[in-house]
């Protein structure tokens, strides 16, 4: 039923709010990996790529990557070494023909265990769950898949990874989500979105109410002006904002502020979920819920050869969605009671509250400014260990 609905509505031209030609959060030295959609009803990936970065491919001795690596993320967010072999799914549009090979370069460079088709750790399928035929390749979306695969690996090296490639960036992506769940993924990362529209009321219950599955989605890269995006605005999805993350001489060893491009706000369509009863800035569903590094100026190291030159530095809220999906996997949250997006609201001590940084001008202030407690750019904050992402007991 769910899949047939996607095929039907994907062909409908759905009106949407005008989107800026480039992400508001893209600084002068960063560009969106995916161009703004030219037709209605198309999702956009939220990966941002730093420009002017020295690229390099391993030849004999591996090139030394710039950008934050796995050890940095574990340090900044106080994450344990992983022992789970849970499956984290990454859902993207189009094919990245170099996905598996590039992933192995990333993992071997950082001393992470191999994750290959041969050892059963990695699997790539189309939106129908088959190994072939794969969609047409696309270098822009390849940047998204490379970023997502590397971030899952960085946070949860022992996790299995399922890469689901939709035929295009239409609502076929939601069919990819359903396929990920059908193939046994307990954690599903979605680093893409589109401006909210009434259609989400129809499709939302069909895709994001699967028991025992954690869905994470990027909150968008257009700052406060962009408002909420779907599927991050779904009450069944963990909405992930973005931060600027830098090393610091303090008790934590890191400083963090709201990244200027992090999206969020009050949904125009989705009712307020019970777990957000203390979020007074919105009468409806509020995004984001939590956050992770997203500023390309403080971005993460990514290895991509199809559509890029090897090592680069990426950012956007696209980085946060797979990071948080993997953190939930570390916490073993799948199968717990209640909505996984609500877990952090019941365990705020397991988060670093982000209380500075701005994404624009707004009223009330918490909709665009890092503030104590909940705020739209960073939600309740960033991981301080995994306790806030575990099911309540």
């Amino acid at each position: 039923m769910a899949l047939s609905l996607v095929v039907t509505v994907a062909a409908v031209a759905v009106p949407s709010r005008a989107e800026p030609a480039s992400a508001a959060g893209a600084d002068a030295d960063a560009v969106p990996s995916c161009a703004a959609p030219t037709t209605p009803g198309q999702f956009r990936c939220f990966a941002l790529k730093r420009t002017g970065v020295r690229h390099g491919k391993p030849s004999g001795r591996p090139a030394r990557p710039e950008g934050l690596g796995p050890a940095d993320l574990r340090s900044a967010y106080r994450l344990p070494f992983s022992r789970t072999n849970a499956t984290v799914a990454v859902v993207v549009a189009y094919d990245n023909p170099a996905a598996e090979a590039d992933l192995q370069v990333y993992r071997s460079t950082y001393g992470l265990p191999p994750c290959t088709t041969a050892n059963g750790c990695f699997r790539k399928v189309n939106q129908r769950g088959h190994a072939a035929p794969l969609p047409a390749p696309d270098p822009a979306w390849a940047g998204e898949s490379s970023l997502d695969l590397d971030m899952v690996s960085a946070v949860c090296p022992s996790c299995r990874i399922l890469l689901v490639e939709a035929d295009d960036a239409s609502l076929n992506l939601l069919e990819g989500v359903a396929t990920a769940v059908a193939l046994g993924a307990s954690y599903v990362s979605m680093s893409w979105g589109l401006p909210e529209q009434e259609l989400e009321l129809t499709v939302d219950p069909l895709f994001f109410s699967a028991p025992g599955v954690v869905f994470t989605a990027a909150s968008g890269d257009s700052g406060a002006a962009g408002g909420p995006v779907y599927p991050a605005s779904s009450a069944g999805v963990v909405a992930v904002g973005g931060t600027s993350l830098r090393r610091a001489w303090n008790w934590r060893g890191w400083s963090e502020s709201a990244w200027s491009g992090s999206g969020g706000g009050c949904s125009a369509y989705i009712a307020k979920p019970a777990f957000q009863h203390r979020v007074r800035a919105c009468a409806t569903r509020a995004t984001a819920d939590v956050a992770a590094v997203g500023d390309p100026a403080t971005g993460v190291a990514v290895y991509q050869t199809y559509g890029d030159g090897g090592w680069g530095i990426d950012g956007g809220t696209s980085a946060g969605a797979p990071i948080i999906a993997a953190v939930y996997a570390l916490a073993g949250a799948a199968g717990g009671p209640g909505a996984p997006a609500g877990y952090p609201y019941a365990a705020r001590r397991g988060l670093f509250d982000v209380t500075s940084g701005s994404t624009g001008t707004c009223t009330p202030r918490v909709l665009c400014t890092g503030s104590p407690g909940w705020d739209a750019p960073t939600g309740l904050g960033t991981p301080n260990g995994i306790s806030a992402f575990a099911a309540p007991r």
Side-chain angles (χ1 to χ4, degrees), residues 169-354:
S170 72
L171 293 177
N172 282 316
L173 279 163
L174 295 183
E175 181 174 346
V177 169
T179 293
V181 174
L183 293 179
S186 299
Y187 308 89
V188 180
S189 174
M190 303 169 288
S191 290
W192 36 267
L194 81 174
E196 281 200 297
Q197 49 197 261
E198 194 171 3
L199 177 66
E200 66 195 67
L201 293 173
T202 302
V203 303
D204 195 62
L206 297 174
F207 295 97
F208 302 119
S209 58
V213 179
V214 177
F215 302 96
T216 65
S219 69
D221 293 348
S222 295
V229 296
Y230 185 80
S233 59
S234 169
V237 171
V238 182
V240 184
T243 67
S244 300
L245 177 66
R246 294 178 172 86
R247 289 192 176 275
W249 292 99
N250 58 20
W251 61 272
R252 179 184 171 190
W254 299 85
S255 67
E256 211 161 9
S257 59
W259 169 52
S260 61
S262 184
C266 307
S267 173
Y269 301 103
I270 304 297
K272 176 180 282 191
F275 59 78
Q276 286 193 322
H277 67 279
R278 293 182 180 177
V279 178
R280 298 180 179 178
C282 298
T284 55
R285 165 70 163 132
T287 62
D289 295 308
V290 291
V293 60
D295 184 353
T298 66
V300 296
V302 172
Y303 190 76
Q304 177 195 352
T305 60
Y306 181 71
D308 209 351
W311 288 108
I313 299 177
D314 289 14
T317 52
S318 277
I323 287 173
I324 296 298
V327 171
Y328 270 96
L330 291 177
Y343 297 171
Y345 292 84
R348 297 191 185 192
R349 291 185 179 180
L351 296 161
F352 290 115
D353 195 2
V354 180

Side-chain angles (χ1 to χ4, degrees), residues 15-36:
S16 61
R17 296 200 306 268
E19 194 174 14
S22 61
D27 299 328
D29 61 349
V31 296
S33 180
C34 300

Side-chain angles (χ1 to χ4, degrees), residues 136-149:
D138 181 82
W141 277 86
E144 182 62 70
S145 64
S146 293
L147 169 60
D148 297 352
L149 296 173

Side-chain angles (χ1 to χ4, degrees), residues 110-183:
Y110 288 110
L112 307 179
C115 186
T116 65
T117 302
N119 69 13
C121 174
F122 179 80
R123 184 180 181 187
K124 181 167 78 168
V125 298
N126 61 25
Q127 70 184 49
R128 289 160 287 278
H130 305 306
L134 293 172
D138 181 82
W141 277 86
E144 182 62 70
S145 64
S146 293
L147 169 60
D148 297 352
L149 296 173
D150 290 354
M151 291 307 95
V152 172
S153 296
V155 172
C156 188
S158 64
C159 283
R160 295 189 177 99
I161 301 177
L162 172 65
L163 175 60
V164 182
E165 298 179 331
D167 291 347
D168 53 36
S170 72
L171 293 177
N172 282 316
L173 279 163
L174 295 183
E175 181 174 346
V177 169
T179 293
V181 174
L183 293 179

Side-chain angles (χ1 to χ4, degrees), residues 26-127:
D27 299 328
D29 61 349
V31 296
S33 180
C34 300
T38 57
T39 57
Q42 297 284 307
F43 290 93
R44 178 179 185 168
C45 79
F46 292 129
L48 294 175
K49 305 192 76 65
R50 279 270 298 275
T51 58
V53 176
R54 175 181 57 82
H55 287 78
K57 296 182 182 179
S59 56
R61 172 180 285 184
R64 183 175 182 84
E66 300 179 59
L68 301 177
D72 297 311
L73 295 176
R74 287 196 301 269
S75 169
Y77 297 131
R78 297 186 174 180
L79 301 176
F81 286 95
S82 62
R83 297 179 181 177
T84 178
N85 62 355
T87 297
V88 179
V90 167
V91 181
V92 297
Y94 303 105
D95 179 40
N96 177 356
E100 183 173 1
D102 286 355
L103 178 62
Q104 303 324 307
V105 173
Y106 179 89
R107 293 176 71 104
S108 64
T109 298
Y110 288 110
L112 307 179
C115 186
T116 65
T117 302
N119 69 13
C121 174
F122 179 80
R123 184 180 181 187
K124 181 167 78 168
V125 298
N126 61 25
Q127 70 184 49

